[in-house]
Amino acid sequence: MKHFLRFQDFSREEFEHLFERTRILKYRFKNYIPYQPLVDRMLAMVFEKSSTRTRVSFEAGIHQLGGSSIVLNTAESQLGRGEPIEDVARIITRMVDIVMIRTFDQAIIERFAANSRVPVINGLTNQYHPCQILADIYTYIEHRGGIAGKTIAWIGDANNMCATWAEAARIFAFKLNVASPQGYKFVPGEKEAPHVALFDDPMQAAAGADLVTTDVWTSMGYEAENAARLKAFAGYIVTEAMMKAAGKDALFMHCLPAHRGEEVTHEVLEGPQSVVWDEAENRLHVQKALMEYLLLGKINS
Ligand code: CP
Ligand code: NVA
């Protein structure tokens, strides 16, 4: 049994398989070709933080594959009254076939997985967002071909998205330029460090990059730091000039939701280099491939 708790849980070869399955499942979806290998399978989604894309893409995805889903959130479940995550894991994984969790510390999802009878998917933690990077890399490949050897510029907060990009940089052999202010610098792990370059100046990080990407200055769970972050990140905004410095073939991505005028201008988000809507849609397709793989193994039909 496999889980997808961090991007590094899968090998490059497993990702290549997922991307090929994504292409096939997306084609079937777009052409109204029914494909329901997960009839009678149940996905439980546990949300300790808000979501729009993750909720809709997983719920629509499992349904399209023939299965069904149930959503638990903190306020409406016993989690909100302090039931230990280990107990929740032992109980719900006797009743469902696969679980997606969005929570705070990565340790929570690891404790859940350690007590799970079924595959567990990380739907975002404070530290990582592997499903989003799966969609982002698939989107890059769709628009530009392979990502190996390319340069990705990360502008702004060295958050869960940035840390997941760094794991992907090692696996796919691309370069990650990270521009963030003092006090919020990215600290890559030992294995990731050779693939990461740190910058103070976002323009320098973006110059010549194949993909420029960013995220909110204040992630979920860090709201108390919002005022300090607004000051610290001023200037770490992806602008049209920055996209020009990257080059005309460079793409722009954002996991969304975006704060126009903070980490990205309205013009870039809505501009010709932006692929954010494809990126969001691809959450559906990559996660269908992911659920198929975790539940059925490598399918080639
Ligand atoms: N990008 C992303 O995970 O969006 P949601 O928070 O809406 O799920
Ligand atoms: N870094 C953001 C991503 C939201 C999808 C957060 O964790 O809030």
Side-chain angles (χ1 to χ4, degrees), residues 25-35:
L25 300 189
K26 183 170 181 177
Y27 175 84
R28 288 180 187 162
F29 175 74
K30 295 282 182 188
N31 289 281
Y32 301 97
I33 300 168
Y35 175 63

Side-chain angles (χ1 to χ4, degrees), residues 143-194:
H143 282 268
R144 293 284 183 269
I147 199 164
K150 304 288 182 184
T151 299
I152 315 306
W154 176 268
I155 310 299
D157 190 19
N159 62 14
N160 43 8
M161 284 289 298
C162 178
T164 314
W165 270 115
E167 289 195 350
R170 178 171 63 79
I171 294 165
F172 285 92
F174 57 79
K175 197 172 149 209
L176 182 66
N177 289 349
V178 180
S180 33
Q182 294 303 328
Y184 296 89
K185 290 288 183 199
F186 183 47
V187 183
E190 210 176 293
K191 288 183 293 183
E192 286 75 35

Side-chain angles (χ1 to χ4, degrees), residues 50-54 102 129 132 220 255-257 283:
S50 308
S51 170
T52 297
R53 277 145 290 268
T54 303
R102 167 168 287 195
H129 197 1
Q132 184 67 54
M220 292 181 281
C255 64
L256 305 176
R283 290 288 302 276

Side-chain angles (χ1 to χ4, degrees), residues 76-88:
E76 291 162 3
S77 70
Q78 299 288 10
L79 274 169
R81 298 177 63 250
E83 184 166 21
I85 197 76
E86 288 81 358
D87 294 2
V88 176

Side-chain angles (χ1 to χ4, degrees), residues 84-94 111-117:
I85 197 76
E86 288 81 358
D87 294 2
V88 176
R90 282 184 286 185
I91 293 148
I92 71 173
T93 69
R94 284 172 180 243
R111 282 161 51 204
F112 188 102
N115 289 278
S116 175
R117 289 186 169 190

